[in-house]
Amino acid sequence: MPERTLAIIKPDAVAAGVVGEIIAQIQQAGFRIRAMKLVRLSAEQAGAFYAVHRERPFYAELVRFMSSGPVVPMVLEKDNAVADFRALIGATDPAEAAEGTIRKRFGRSKGENAIHGSDSPENARVEIAFFFAESELVG
Ligand code: UDP
Ligand code: MG
C-alpha cells in the first residue's frame, strides 16, 4: 500500500504563478495526485493547521503569510511518500536547500518557502483530514 503525504503550495508560489511548474516537478518525481484544490485559509484556519508552532517566535508571521492569499493543498501518493517528498522540497530555508529542490527553485525566504510537506506518516494523516474528506481522494 503506497504512502500518502500532504503538500501545500503556499501563497508566495501561487502569487508568483509557478503552480504549474511545481505540479510538473511533483508528477515527474513519481507522485500520484489523489486530491487537489485551491483554497483561501482564514487566519484561524492557518493558525489551527500550524498549531504545533504556537509558541515559536515566527508563528504570528506564519499565520499571516499562510492566510495572505490562496494556497493549493494536495494529497500525494507514492511508496515512501513522506520522506521522498521532504527530499523533493528541500530544507526549510531555501538558501540551505539542495540544488534542484522545489524550495531552492521557488522559495524566497525561510518563511516564504513555496511549499509544505508533512513530516511523518502520522502527521500526514492528520493534515490530509484537515483539508480533504476521504470521498475527495478521486485521483
Ligand atoms: N518558518 C519560519 N521561520 C522559521 C521556521 C519556520 O517562518 O524560523 C515557517 C516556514 O514557512 C516553515 C513553517 O514555518 O515552512 C513550518 O516550520 P517547520 O519548522 O515545520 O518547517 P518545514 O517542516 O516546513 O520545513
Ligand atoms: Mg514542519
Side-chain angles (χ1 to χ4, degrees):
M1 175 89 170
E3 193 170 78
R4 290 176 185 170
T5 193
L6 182 85
I8 308 173
I9 302 177
K10 295 186 178 184
D12 58 325
V14 176
V18 293
V19 168
E21 285 176 78
I22 291 175
I23 290 173
Q25 185 168 353
I26 291 169
Q27 291 185 306
Q28 278 155 18
F31 292 86
R32 172 181 170 190
I33 300 173
R34 296 296 310 275
M36 176 166 70
K37 53 186 154 189
L38 182 71
V39 291
R40 175 82 186 257
L41 296 176
S42 66
E44 188 177 51
Q45 289 170 317
F49 183 82
Y50 280 113
V52 64
H53 293 310
R54 207 181 306 112
E55 308 301 333
R56 308 285 290 279
F58 58 83
Y59 180 69
E61 174 55 26
L62 176 60
V63 169
R64 186 210 59 76
F65 166 57
M66 288 300 292
S67 58
S68 68
V71 298
V72 180
M74 42 189 149
V75 178
L76 304 176
E77 197 169 88
K78 180 184 180 298
D79 289 336
N80 204 37
V82 169
D84 285 1
F85 193 67
R86 294 288 297 199
L88 184 70
I89 71 178
T92 306
D93 186 345
E96 292 166 14
E99 215 50 56
T101 59
I102 293 174
R103 283 170 166 172
K104 185 67 162 193
R105 292 180 67 199
F106 302 108
R108 302 167 177 205
S109 67
K110 196 170 185 181
E112 303 200 2
N113 57 5
I115 193 151
H116 167 84
S118 305
D119 64 4
S120 70
E122 297 69 34
N123 285 338
R125 273 188 282 278
V126 174
E127 292 180 358
I128 287 168
F130 185 91
F131 286 102
F132 297 97
E134 196 65 30
S135 61
E136 290 179 288
L137 305 192
V138 296

